[in-house]
């Protein structure tokens, strides 16, 4: 038996290797579906709820999908409905989901690089230090070590603060770990009924969570690239530069706009001190990137702030990250293309590099398909809950698709049909754009004969 175990492990690794080469998108979908099914089964057990009663299937499935897809939307209150064992299952689902996103996205990236030419292949190999597409084990170990170290650091900062505010050492350790894992993986789940609202003006508590969400939203390729070349920013990859600069710009824009829109709103930021206003604005500027935490009641925000959140959630975070959305590099590439067109430049360029036209084509396709999915889901949800307004429905739909988790309060009150729509949307939002981008890139081919060029009138 002992001698046969290495052979079984090797066969399993070869199977994953073959799937990663032949159908990486199918591998991503299959793994996520299997994990969601397992977590759903565990949350359906009586011991998973605080009452000892079995959770309805729709709530168990919704919570499992939200955890594994690191979304944060819930149909029942996480802090009070689920038992400690249920919280552990949710936390493990978040961890597996976050690791799966980064690992599978990296595998898809490698699969694409193996199909679009030797130059790109060598570039990806030099960045990831991966020599074979199927070296899932070494890639997974690197992701686990890096993410776990960052989560432990965040938890160590949070635990003393939680102890000071009244938690026992055991509660502080558990809550600190839960918040750290949930923050880095951009999950938005909270282990207590009040969540982070009691800490609305607490920099010690909220700043580590802000940093954790921001770093997690950058993506494993960016994190690894920055760590390896920390003192040489000029040597960072183009992807890392675009992701960091665009992410920082979106955070700054979101922070300023939230403060401007909610400054006089007595139900959110109006009447509070400068310290709390600044922190709450910064927090609200970061969380739409896919963090999903909230220190003020989102349902009490102005409609203009909801629309701002819709835009920020739709963009999301970095590629191969725990964040959702169409990704910041997609936005960056399209903005750079607009700039190049306005200037009359033939090529799209950034930081001394030329961006291939295929990247722009994929960015446009991902954006249009994502917008179509959001539109279709909004129409379905409006048909299911015809008494709700479009702004509320659109907010929930984009939050689910972008795996963000912010809510106006509609999700818990939805009928089962609406919950199933959001469940499917979370799954598509987590796996769809990633696999779509890979599938489009994998279909890239060179043609020997090209048709004559003729430019239609645009605009």
């Amino acid at each position: 038996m002992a001698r046969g175990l290495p052979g079984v492990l090797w066969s399993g690794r070869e199977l994953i290797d073959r799937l990663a080469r032949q159908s990486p998108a199918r591998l991503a979908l299959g793994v996520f579906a299997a994990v969601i099914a397992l977590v759903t089964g565990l949350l359906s057990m009586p011991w998973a709820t605080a009452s000892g009663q079995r959770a309805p299937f729709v709530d168990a499935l919704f919570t499992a999908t939200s955890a594994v897809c690191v979304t944060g939307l819930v149909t029942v209150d996480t802090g009070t409905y689920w038992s400690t064992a249920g919280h552990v299952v949710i936390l493990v689902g978040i961890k597996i989901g976050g690791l799966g996103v980064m690992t599978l996205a990296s595998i898809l990236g490698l699969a694409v690089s193996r199909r679009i030419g030797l130059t790109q292949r060598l570039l990806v190999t030099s960045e990831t230090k991966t020599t074979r597409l199927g070296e899932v084990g070494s890639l997974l170990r690197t992701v686990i070590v890096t993410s776990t170290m960052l989560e432990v650091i965040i938890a160590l900062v949070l635990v003393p603060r939680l102890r000071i505010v009244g938690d026992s050492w055991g509660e502080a350790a558990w809550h600190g770990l839960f918040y750290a894992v949930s923050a880095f993986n951009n999950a938005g789940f909270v282990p207590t009924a009040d969540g982070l609202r009691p800490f609305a003006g607490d920099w010690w508590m909220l700043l580590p969570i802000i940093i954790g969400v921001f770093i997690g939203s950058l993506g494993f390729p960016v994190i690894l690239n920055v760590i390896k070349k920390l003192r040489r920013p000029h040597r960072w990859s183009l992807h890392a530069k675009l992701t960091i600069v665009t992410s920082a710009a979106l955070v700054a824009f979101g922070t300023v706009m939230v403060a401007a829109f909610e400054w006089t709103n007595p139900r959110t930021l109006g009447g509070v001190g400068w310290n709390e206003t600044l922190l709450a604005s910064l927090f609200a500027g970061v969380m739409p990137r896919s963090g999903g935490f909230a220190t003020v009641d989102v349902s009490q925000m102005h409609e203009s702030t909801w629309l701002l959140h819709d835009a920020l959630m739709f963009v999301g975070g970095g590629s191969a990250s725990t964040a959702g959305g169409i990704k910041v590099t997609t936005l960056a590439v399209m903005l750079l293309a607009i700039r190049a067109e306005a200037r009359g430049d033939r090529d799209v360029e950034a930081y001394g590099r030329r961006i291939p036209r295929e990247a722009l084509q994929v960015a446009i396709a991902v954006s249009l398909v994502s917008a179509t999915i959001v539109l279709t889901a909004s129409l379905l949800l409006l048909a299911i809950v015809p008494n709700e307004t479009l702004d509320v429905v659109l907010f929930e739909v984009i939050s689910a698709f972008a795996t963000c988790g912010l809510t106006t309060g509609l999700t818990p009150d939805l009928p089962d049909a609406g919950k199933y729509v959001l469940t499917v949307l979370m799954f598509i939002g987590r796996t769809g754009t990633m696999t779509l981008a890979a599938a489009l890139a994998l279909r890239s081919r060179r043609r020997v004969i090209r048709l004559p060029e003729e430019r239609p009138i645009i605009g």
Side-chain angles (χ1 to χ4, degrees), residues 217 242-243 246-247 249-251 253 288-290 307-319 321 323-335 366-367 370 374 398-399 401-404 429 433:
S217 71
L242 287 178
T243 300
T246 309
S247 296
L250 288 174
V251 168
F253 175 75
R289 306 294 317 292
S290 197
L307 184 59
L308 171 68
H309 277 63
D310 288 342
L312 293 175
M313 290 189 297
F314 187 74
V315 173
S319 300
S321 75
I326 63 172
K327 305 299 185 294
V328 294
T329 44
T330 301
L331 175 65
V333 167
M334 291 192 294
L335 291 177
V366 168
S367 300
S370 298
V374 168
I398 294 179
S399 182
F401 173 76
T403 67
C404 179
T433 54

Side-chain angles (χ1 to χ4, degrees), residues 85-303:
H87 289 163
V88 172
V89 172
I90 292 172
L91 190 65
V92 172
I94 292 171
K95 182 67 175 176
I96 294 175
L99 291 174
V101 169
M102 291 187 287
T103 304
L104 291 174
S106 298
I107 292 172
L108 290 173
L110 288 172
V112 170
S113 72
R114 292 309 195 249
R115 291 288 295 275
I116 60 176
L118 178 61
T119 303
Q120 292 89 339
R121 185 188 316 175
L122 293 176
L123 286 173
V124 172
T125 300
S126 65
E127 291 294 338
T128 62
K129 304 301 181 185
T130 304
T131 57
R132 294 176 61 229
L133 179 59
E135 285 186 351
V136 181
S138 60
L139 182 63
L140 183 58
R141 282 194 299 272
T142 305
V143 174
I144 290 175
V145 171
T146 304
S147 62
T148 303
M149 285 179 59
L150 291 171
E151 289 164 354
V152 169
I153 293 172
I154 297 171
L156 290 175
V157 176
L158 295 178
V159 168
R161 183 55 182 162
L162 290 168
R163 180 70 182 91
I164 291 173
V165 298
D167 284 0
S168 65
W169 279 112
E171 291 174 335
W174 168 243
H175 291 162
L177 177 64
F178 196 105
Y179 277 119
V181 174
S182 186
F184 178 78
N185 291 283
N186 282 220
F189 279 87
V190 295
T192 58
D194 295 331
L196 293 172
R197 291 184 184 180
F199 304 97
D202 193 332
W203 285 87
W204 186 351
M205 186 68 190
L206 297 188
L207 188 58
I209 293 177
I210 290 173
I211 295 173
V213 168
F214 184 81
I215 294 176
S217 71
L218 294 178
F220 171 68
V222 174
I223 295 172
L224 185 60
N225 186 255
V226 171
I227 290 175
K228 288 183 176 180
K229 303 174 181 178
L230 185 60
R231 298 184 179 181
R232 296 174 293 169
H234 63 283
R235 299 290 301 277
W236 292 353
S237 66
L238 175 62
H239 171 72
K241 292 176 181 178
L242 287 178
T243 300
I244 293 173
V245 171
T246 309
S247 296
L250 288 174
V251 168
F253 175 75
T255 300
V256 172
M257 296 307 293
V258 168
F261 290 156
E262 297 297 320
W263 190 271
T264 58
N265 186 349
R267 297 169 296 179
T268 55
L269 301 183
V272 302
W274 279 90
N275 176 67
E276 187 170 337
T277 298
L278 176 60
L279 181 55
S281 300
L282 175 61
F283 198 82
V286 172
M287 292 308 131
R289 306 294 317 292
S290 197
F293 296 103
T295 56
V296 297
D297 190 351
V298 175
S299 67
Q300 300 301 315
M301 290 180 171
H302 291 310
E303 292 180 0

